[in-house]
Structures are given as C-alpha cells and as structure tokens.
Amino acid sequence: MIIENSGLNGLKSELGYLDEAAEKAGFFRGQWEYTRATYDLKIEDSQSDDVYYLRVNTRAIEGKLENPHAVLIIEDVYIGLSTFPHGLDYETPIPKHVMDVANKGIQALYSALS
C-alpha cells in the first residue's frame, strides 16, 4: 500500500546524512544499487506474529551511492506484509495499530530531514 501524504516525498538529502537520520528513526538501508536505495522500518505485530515493512524509496539525483555526498530524493513510501521466503505483499490490509507505528516512523524520519 502506497502511503499518500507522508510528507517525505520529494525531500532531498545527502546519502551520509540520510543513512544517519534513517538509523536514528529506526530504519535500515535495505536494497541498494548505484542510483537507488530503500530504507526499511521493520514492524512486528505482536497480536498476529506478522511482520510488516515500511519502505522508503530513494533515487540518486547527484552522484552514486558509493559516495556519502551523493544527493538522494525520496520517492514513494509504502508498507507491506512480509511473506516467506522473501518479499512484501502490498495488497493485504494493514491493521490500525501497525499503521500507528508506521506513522510514528514516518514522523521521526520527516523531523530528522526537515
């Protein structure tokens, strides 16, 4: 599920600072290549034992990800249910208490980047 109006879309940051800010907000850099990276926040639902990931997509607009001074722009923000053996299901409805945790993560990252 794409999260509309997260406030993160369009924000720009140098890679080194984004890595630091994301880590402080509980995210980790997941997938990455030379010009794209994702930052994930793992959310464990103790009520159902399901695991969800809040994912922030970024793209380099200056430089490549091997350089901490590369400038990235945040694109889509979305959340999905983790599926075995790997992958995310974006069609499954997200419980309110999981979305509450996701929104706190979004706010923490937004505060660090604004």
Side-chain angles (χ1 to χ4, degrees):
M1 170 174 96
I2 293 178
I3 298 175
E4 304 290 338
N5 304 317
S6 69
L8 294 173
N9 296 53
L11 291 180
K12 298 174 187 174
S13 175
E14 283 192 347
L15 172 65
Y17 185 78
L18 183 55
D19 280 348
E20 199 175 292
E23 185 176 333
K24 286 181 183 175
F27 290 78
F28 61 93
R29 187 170 6 142
Q31 303 169 358
W32 68 278
E33 57 185 43
Y34 293 107
T35 60
R36 294 182 295 176
T38 62
Y39 291 85
D40 293 342
L41 175 67
K42 182 178 182 180
I43 303 170
E44 298 182 40
D45 183 358
S46 60
Q47 295 178 16
S48 66
D49 289 330
D50 286 332
V51 175
Y52 297 84
Y53 285 91
L54 175 63
R55 178 162 287 169
V56 176
N57 278 328
T58 66
R59 180 177 43 85
I61 56 174
E62 292 177 27
K64 294 184 180 178
L65 292 184
E66 53 211 17
N67 181 344
H69 299 293
V71 177
L72 280 69
I73 187 167
I74 295 177
E75 295 180 328
D76 290 327
V77 178
Y78 48 95
I79 188 167
L81 172 67
S82 179
T83 59
F84 181 80
H86 53 77
L88 295 177
D89 174 3
Y90 300 110
E91 302 302 318
T92 299
I94 309 298
K96 182 188 178 321
H97 61 278
V98 171
M99 279 306 300
D100 291 343
V101 173
N103 286 326
K104 287 179 185 175
I106 289 169
Q107 286 302 317
L109 186 57
Y110 179 82
S111 294
L113 295 174
S114 326

